[in-house]
């Protein structure tokens, strides 16, 4: 059964006593990160909802902090078995990725809760969002669970991408957005730059049905594949989307928060971003990145800010994406390695270590699997 939005999923977690709502306000971003690290050390712990001093908006974190909760999001039962039978979770995703005939494209609707409040012009102020520095060496406040939506600028009817790229707030109206050359957003930027374009429209979306968060870090086979269609297959129904107010993009209608704007792709206008405490457990170095100029902030009434913590090997910033990354590799190796039987990458390895089981026919057969991986 599909969850309509983040709130629907949180209701399920309340029912299962897997959501704890803190009554004491937390002091700052460092305290939030320390709490997230402690929960990860204890095997995940519950999802938590809280407020930070100085902000009225409630924050929810650690939603994806256990494999059990990610299994619940995908409708897998019994969810509590996922820690022992991780292959069930991986295979659910691998099957959806491979079965394109089951994909369900998104549905455009006229209005959605994500636009109950619309802020433009002088009303746009990113500093009013409960987004802080989470680690002492971070270059600034970071949105840690952003669905960044772009389209192929040369073929806007196709080639939509929903990716999870780090977003650092520069000031009241601008952020940085990570645009790696090998990722879809980097390809969109390169294609726009080669065509002489100066900007591309971008939407940064926060607070979603957990399945949409999961697919945002999926390595799709084709540059033209749509993550929202894959999400439709996993949800069993289409993702409802609504047109943005100030740019030509569609966003999930039931999101909590949307930042609309233009990404300035002129290299001369790039600004320094970082460092940032990243998923691999280290601070990634500062770099020059394109500037995202926000033209509108839209959100639900009484909206909820969703974040995740990173760094820890079992943080909620890792557990929700690892099953999909494993599904990607599983499907690829099944095609590429003769005699393939199974594949597993331990969660603690963060994708850098893998075990591939093969039907060995002669000495040295395993080298083929190593080279393919």
């Amino acid at each position: 059964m599909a969850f309509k939005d983040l709130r629907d999923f949180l209701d399920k977690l309340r029912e299962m006593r897997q959501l704890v709502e803190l009554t004491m306000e937390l002091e700052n971003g460092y305290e939030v990160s320390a709490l997230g690290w402690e929960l990860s050390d204890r095997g995940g712990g519950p999802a938590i909802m809280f407020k930070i001093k100085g902000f009225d908006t409630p924050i929810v974190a650690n939603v994806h902090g256990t494999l059990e909760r990610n299994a619940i999001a995908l409708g897998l039962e019994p969810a509590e078995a996922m820690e022992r039978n991780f292959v069930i979770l991986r295979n659910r995703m691998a099957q959806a990725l491979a079965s394109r005939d089951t994909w369900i494209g998104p549905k455009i609707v006229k209005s959605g809760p994500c636009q109950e409040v619309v802020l433009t012009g002088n009303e746009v102020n990113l500093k009013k969002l409960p987004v802080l520095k989470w680690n002492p060496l971070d270059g600034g406040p970071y949105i840690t669970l952003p669905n960044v939506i772009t389209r192929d600028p040369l073929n806007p009817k196709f080639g939509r991408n929903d990716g999870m790229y780090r977003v650092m707030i520069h000031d009241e109206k601008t952020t940085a957005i990570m645009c790696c050359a090998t990722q879809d957003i980097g390809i969109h930027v390169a294609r726009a730059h080669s065509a002489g374009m100066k900007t591309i429209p971008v939407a940064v979306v926060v607070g979603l049905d957990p399945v949409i968060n999961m697919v945002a870090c999926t390595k799709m086979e084709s540059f033209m594949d749509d993550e929202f269609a894959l999400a439709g297959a996993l949800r069993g129904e289409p993702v409802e989307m609504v047109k943005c107010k100030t740019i030509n993009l569609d966003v999930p209608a039931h999101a909590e928060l949307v930042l609309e704007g233009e990404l300035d792709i002129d290299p001369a206008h790039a600004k320094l971003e970082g460092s940032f405490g990243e998923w691999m457990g280290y601070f990634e170095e500062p770099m020059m990145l394109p500037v995202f100029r926000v033209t509108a902030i839209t959100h639900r009434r009484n909206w909820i800010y969703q974040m995740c913590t990173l760094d820890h090997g079992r943080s909620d910033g890792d557990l929700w994406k690892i099953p999909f990354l494993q599904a990607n590799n599983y499907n690829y190796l099944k095609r590429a390695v003769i005699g393939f039987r199974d594949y597993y990458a331990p969660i603690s390895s963060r994708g850098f270590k893998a075990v591939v089981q093969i039907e060995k026919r002669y000495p040295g057969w395993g080298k083929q699997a190593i080279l393919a991986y």
Side-chain angles (χ1 to χ4, degrees), residues 24 41 61 85 92 137 139 151 153-154 172 181 186 188 190 204 207 219 251 273 280 286 295 356:
M24 180 182 293
D41 259 353
N85 298 312
R92 171 74 175 98
L137 297 183
R151 278 192 178 275
L154 304 186
E172 288 82 356
H188 286 172
V204 176
K219 300 298 181 185
V251 293
E273 180 266 8
M280 71 290 291
T295 54
V356 179

Side-chain angles (χ1 to χ4, degrees), residues 320-338:
W320 56 267
K321 65 186 178 184
I322 286 175
F324 260 119
L325 295 176
Q326 297 225 11
N328 286 123
N329 289 332
Y330 175 78
N331 283 349
Y332 171 74
L333 290 168
K334 190 162 58 172
R335 295 192 305 268
V337 177
I338 298 172

Side-chain angles (χ1 to χ4, degrees), residues 284-342:
E284 194 162 27
E285 71 280 359
M287 58 189 74
M288 300 299 290
L289 290 179
V291 173
F292 174 54
R293 306 186 191 284
V294 178
T295 54
I297 298 176
T298 74
H299 60 77
R300 300 176 70 145
R301 295 189 189 93
N302 302 316
W303 69 288
I304 301 168
Y305 177 70
Q306 185 182 10
M307 63 163 291
C308 69
T309 54
L310 295 164
D311 305 344
H312 194 287
R314 288 188 62 90
S315 72
D316 55 325
D318 277 301
L319 286 189
W320 56 267
K321 65 186 178 184
I322 286 175
F324 260 119
L325 295 176
Q326 297 225 11
N328 286 123
N329 289 332
Y330 175 78
N331 283 349
Y332 171 74
L333 290 168
K334 190 162 58 172
R335 295 192 305 268
V337 177
I338 298 172
F340 174 83
R341 295 183 65 180
D342 209 345

Side-chain angles (χ1 to χ4, degrees), residues 160-189:
R160 174 170 45 208
N161 179 61
D162 177 24
M164 197 74 70
Y165 312 114
R166 74 193 203 200
V167 176
M168 188 189 88
I169 293 176
H170 285 307
D171 54 40
E172 288 82 356
K173 297 185 187 301
T174 67
T175 82
I177 295 181
M178 173 77 81
C179 297
C180 295
T182 56
Q183 295 175 323
D184 283 1
I185 191 172
I187 296 171
H188 286 172
V189 167

Side-chain angles (χ1 to χ4, degrees), residues 32-59:
V32 174
S33 292
L35 178 55
W37 189 278
E38 182 66 22
L39 289 170
S40 299
D41 259 353
R42 298 186 182 194
I48 53 174
M49 183 175 283
F50 56 92
K51 287 185 178 179
I52 295 178
K53 286 185 177 179
F55 297 92
D56 293 328
T57 303
I59 300 171

